[in-house]
Amino acid sequence: MVFNVASEKELQHILRAHPQTVVHFWARWCEPCAFLDTVLEAIVSDAPSLAVVRVEAEEVPELSERYDVSVVPYFAFFKDGQLVDTLEGASAADLSSKALALGARASTPSNGTPATDAAVAAIAPVTEAAPAVAGEERLRALVQRSPIMLFMKGSPDAPQCGFSAKVVAALRAVGADFDSFDILGDAGVRQGLKAYSNWPTFPQLYVAGELLGGCDIVLELAASGELAAELAAAGAPGDADRAAQLKALVSSSPVMLFMKGTPEEPRCGFSRKVVDALRSTGTAFGTFDILSDQDVRARLKEYSNWPTYPQLYVKGQLLGGCDIVLEMAADGSLKETITEMLA
């Protein structure tokens, strides 16, 4: 049984009537959401006790905020009206496992015996560890990375939600020179920034390192003609300001790697080799994807006087690039050198 709801009242009514419910937060622009709807329909046919609720995330923001929905597709699993599990992302296998595990709690096999806890556990997926939340020092460096800094879903040229697209359009309408950060690409920043800013949703717009607001506030300022004046508080950064921003960025983690891509998905062989070398030492390190910010990519070369990437920093000091890191890894001195620089 599939329902579409547009309010908290409608959702609560369904949760009271259906002990096992999967809530799918979706968006029109997200193609995987449509595919996963078909997955849920197939699951319901196998688990008739299961109810499915569809919530258009951007059209019902009160529900999205209540259940901490910051990306679609997003699923919330309810048992007797209580939230018991969540799933973020477009994994049909994980969705099937979690939904069938929920449905199995009320299902009855052909022999008439209720499903046992062991049977449920057999199909329940292993819960992945929550991503490490970005620390305050790194978050501070990120919000100060540019005088006007937008934390959004996707990029200005390819927004991944309607709210982000509207804020980008408002900024461009007043000719704002702004930088952006895709919070969908870093779960640690996405979760950490909510607490850092005491603001539960995205996008978030920062001016001179201070939170200006989210979508509603930005659009209100744009409609009243006040947005340009608010953004003027950021000023035009001089060379000293730019150097300070880079210094904060390279110091945002005790061991900081500027690379192409992410540790899980490196975008070049040199970056992959340095990640492997660091992991072999057991060293915890932060990263910055220089492909996501052409300004940082260009300016950091001048700041470090080092022409290529990756670049590895320890306590804000450049240790070196790929060749140096791999030489140290080969002769066994990499971990010792990092430890000494951290002391």
Side-chain angles (χ1 to χ4, degrees):
M1 194 173 300
V2 180
F3 303 89
N4 289 286
V5 305
S7 70
E8 173 72 18
K9 182 178 180 180
E10 292 178 6
L11 176 60
Q12 292 303 321
H13 176 76
I14 293 171
L15 293 179
R16 286 193 295 270
H18 299 274
Q20 291 83 32
T21 303
V22 180
V23 180
H24 177 197
F25 290 88
W26 64 282
R28 296 178 187 275
W29 49 264
C30 181
E31 293 183 5
C33 289
F35 166 68
L36 292 175
D37 274 336
T38 64
V39 173
L40 285 171
E41 290 174 3
I43 292 172
V44 169
S45 67
D46 292 333
S49 64
L50 201 64
V52 172
V53 173
R54 300 176 74 250
V55 178
E56 191 168 1
E58 295 173 4
E59 298 301 319
V60 196
E62 64 272 18
L63 283 176
S64 297
E65 292 177 15
R66 174 169 181 178
Y67 295 106
D68 198 27
V69 179
S70 59
V71 61
V72 291
Y74 185 92
F75 302 90
F77 302 84
F78 291 84
K79 175 74 168 69
D80 296 327
Q82 300 298 313
L83 180 66
V84 295
D85 203 354
T86 60
L87 176 64
E88 181 179 290
S91 170
D94 287 348
L95 174 60
S96 297
S97 294
K98 288 178 179 285
L100 289 172
L102 181 66
R105 298 178 187 183
S107 64
T108 303
S110 57
N111 62 7
T113 304
T116 65
D117 290 341
V120 173
I123 61 173
V126 177
T127 302
E128 296 181 357
V133 176
E136 184 172 340
E137 187 175 358
R138 183 187 179 202
L139 294 172
R140 186 181 300 109
L142 284 174
V143 302
Q144 295 176 351
R145 192 172 84 187
S146 175
I148 303 174
M149 189 70 191
L150 176 63
F151 291 83
M152 62 179 292
K153 297 177 183 178
S155 67
D157 294 328
Q160 293 296 303
C161 82
F163 299 127
S164 293
K166 290 176 182 178
V167 172
V168 168
L171 291 173
R172 286 176 168 171
V174 298
D177 182 12
F178 66 98
D179 194 2
S180 68
F181 184 93
D182 180 7
I183 54 96
L184 298 181
D186 193 318
V189 170
R190 185 168 72 243
Q191 297 302 325
L193 201 58
K194 292 178 183 180
Y196 179 86
S197 63
N198 194 27
W199 195 272
T201 60
F202 292 96
Q204 295 181 14
L205 181 64
Y206 288 77
V207 177
E210 298 293 331
L211 178 68
L212 179 61
C215 182
D216 289 345
I217 291 177
V218 173
L219 296 186
E220 286 175 9
L221 290 171
S224 66
E226 301 175 74
L227 181 58
E230 290 287 344
L231 298 179
D239 290 341
D241 295 319
R242 293 180 183 277
Q245 292 165 10
L246 289 174
K247 182 178 181 180
L249 189 56
V250 300
S251 303
S252 59
S253 180
V255 180
M256 189 70 184
L257 176 63
F258 291 80
M259 62 179 292
K260 296 179 180 179
T262 66
E264 290 71 29
E265 295 185 5
R267 299 289 295 278
C268 81
F270 299 122
S271 293
R272 178 180 291 106
K273 290 177 181 178
V274 172
V275 167
D276 290 343
L278 288 171
R279 285 176 168 170
S280 71
T281 67
T283 300
F285 59 98
T287 64
F288 183 92
D289 179 7
I290 54 95
L291 297 179
S292 69
D293 192 316
Q294 295 301 315
D295 186 48
V296 169
R297 181 180 183 180
R299 289 194 289 122
L300 192 60
K301 293 180 181 179
E302 299 176 5
Y303 177 86
S304 63
N305 194 28
W306 195 272
T308 59
Y309 292 99
Q311 295 182 15
L312 181 63
Y313 291 77
V314 180
K315 291 188 72 173
Q317 299 297 313
L318 178 67
L319 176 60
C322 182
D323 289 346
I324 291 177
V325 172
L326 295 187
E327 287 176 8
M328 289 183 171
D331 65 23
S333 64
L334 180 58
K335 183 174 183 178
E336 182 181 352
T337 300
I338 292 175
T339 301
E340 291 176 353
M341 292 179 70
L342 290 173

